[in-house]
Amino acid sequence: MTSKLPSYLNLKYLYLDPSLSTTNPILQNVKKHLPDIKILPLSSTQSYQPQSLILKKFKGKFLRFCPGTRYYNCCGYKIIHFGENCPLNCTYCILQAYFQDKTLKIWANIDDLFQELDKTFKTNPNLRFRTGTGEFTDSLVLEPLTGYAQKLTNFLQNYSNVRLELKSKVADLSWTNGLHKIDHILPAWSLNAPEIVKKEEKLVIPLEERLRAAQKCVSLGIKVCLHFDPIIYYPNWEKGYSKTIEMVFDYLKPEHICYLSLGSFRGMPELFHTISQKHPKSTYIYEEYIYGLDGKLRLFLPLRLKMFSFIVKKLKKAGLKDQIYYCMESDLVWEKTLGYTPIKLGGLDKHLEKLSFNNLL
Ligand code: SF4
C-alpha cells in the first residue's frame, strides 16, 4: 500500500496525542496507508525524529483571519487552520520562517473543527465566508494519508454561505468523491516559471499535471483559481513566465478562471537567512530587495513594476479581466500596472467574494 505514496509521504514516526480516540478517523486513515508507521505518544517537551507526523488535538480557534497587514491590500480570506508545515520543501517557502518546529502537524480533532464552523456559519447566515486551508500547509499534500479535504468538502456542502479554496501544488482530486454538489469548492493551483519549478520546487509535480487537474475540475462544472506566487526575478524571467502563461491557456479558457493572484517573492529577513543556509544554490535571494512597510523584504519597486506589467499585459491579452489581483501590494502597484485600485472593484475582499460565489460554469 505504501508504494503508491510519493516518497515525501513515506513517514516513519507518528506522534499521537493521547487525548485522541483510537477510532479517530484521521488516525485510522494514516494507519491504513502507513501500516508500519511507528506510533509514539506525543508529549509537550519532546523533539521529533525526521520523517514524522504529529496528530494532535487542537484547542485553539480553527477559523482565523489571514495575517495580512494594513499597509497593503489584503484579500480578506479566512483560514481554516487544520495543520502546519509541508513536506514539498520548495526553497522559497515562507513556512520555513513561520514555524520553529518543522514537523508535519495535523489537528486530528476534526469533529471539533466541524462544530466550530457549524456554529460560525449558522450564526451568520447572511454573511458570506471565503475560506481556505492553504495558508499554513498545502491544502492537499497529505490528502492520500489523512483524507482531511474530502471530509471537509463533504461537510461544507450543506452551507450555502461558504466557499472553500483548496490551494495546492499536487493533483489529488479525491476530495471530489462522494460530493453531491461541488460549487462550494474553489480548486486552486500555484504556478511558476518552468525554470523556477525545476530548480526551486524539486519535489513538486510538473506544471502540466497541475493544469490537467485544473482542466478536470472545469470539466466537472466549476471555475478554478490560479496563483502566480511567488514571482521570482531571475535571468530570462520574461521567457519563463511567458511560457507558463501560454501553458495556462493551452489548458484553460479565460472564463474558466475564477481569479488569479500575483505576488512577488517576499519575506521577513529570517526567511532569506534560512534560504541561504538550507538552499545555497537558490541565488534569487541576492537580487535587489528593499524593506516594505510591513518589515518584509520585497523586490525593489521598479523591478516589481516591470515584472507585474509584463505579466499583466500577457494575461490581459489572453483574455483575463478583473479576475487578476495582487496579493499584498500597494495602490500604487495596482494603479501603475492594472490602471485602477481595489476601490474601483468595491474593495478587494468584496470583489473576490463576489467572484468566488459566481464560480459555476
Ligand atoms: S507547496 Fe507551498 S506550503 Fe508546501 S513547501 Fe511549497 S510553498 Fe511551502
Side-chain angles (χ1 to χ4, degrees), residues 219-345:
S219 75
L220 297 175
I222 44 170
K223 297 182 191 176
V224 295
C225 310
L226 300 176
H227 299 287
F228 279 70
D229 198 348
I231 293 171
I232 290 180
Y233 187 85
Y234 71 98
N236 271 328
W237 60 267
E238 290 97 332
K239 213 169 142 207
Y241 285 103
S242 301
K243 173 89 188 119
T244 301
I245 292 167
E246 271 168 37
M247 224 186 268
V248 166
F249 295 100
D250 286 344
Y251 287 84
L252 302 169
K253 292 186 180 159
E255 60 271 27
H256 297 158
I257 298 172
C258 183
Y259 49 71
L260 181 151
S261 76
L262 303 175
S264 76
F265 172 66
R266 61 207 174 276
M268 298 306 275
E270 304 87 271
L271 176 65
F272 286 69
H273 177 71
T274 305
I275 295 171
S276 72
Q277 301 297 303
K278 254 182 86 186
H279 310 287
K281 290 190 180 151
S282 297
T283 50
Y284 57 84
I285 54 169
Y286 303 111
E287 297 296 342
E288 286 182 73
Y289 294 93
I290 47 112
Y291 281 100
L293 295 168
D294 53 2
K296 286 184 180 170
L297 284 164
R298 53 187 67 220
L299 195 66
F300 185 46
L301 181 64
L303 291 180
R304 273 192 352 261
L305 287 173
K306 193 172 166 193
M307 293 187 87
F308 286 151
S309 302
F310 180 87
I311 291 171
V312 163
K313 205 168 151 199
K314 296 254 167 208
L315 291 170
K316 285 199 161 172
K317 197 168 168 215
L320 285 195
K321 298 191 176 83
D322 63 3
Q323 299 113 303
I324 305 169
Y325 76 95
Y326 286 109
C327 180
M328 305 308 289
E329 276 297 349
S330 62
D331 280 354
L332 182 129
V333 167
W334 278 75
E335 190 66 60
K336 284 208 177 286
T337 59
L338 287 163
Y340 52 82
T341 69
I343 292 174
K344 192 192 149 210
L345 302 169

Side-chain angles (χ1 to χ4, degrees), residues 163 181-186 217-218 220-224 255-256 258 354-361:
R163 291 290 179 269
K181 68 195 252 306
I182 202 170
D183 60 329
H184 58 304
I185 305 301
L186 303 164
C217 291
V218 165
L220 297 175
I222 44 170
K223 297 182 191 176
V224 295
E255 60 271 27
H256 297 158
C258 183
K354 205 165 112 196
L355 292 177
S356 63
F357 279 82
N358 182 22
N359 63 329
L360 272 185
L361 285 164

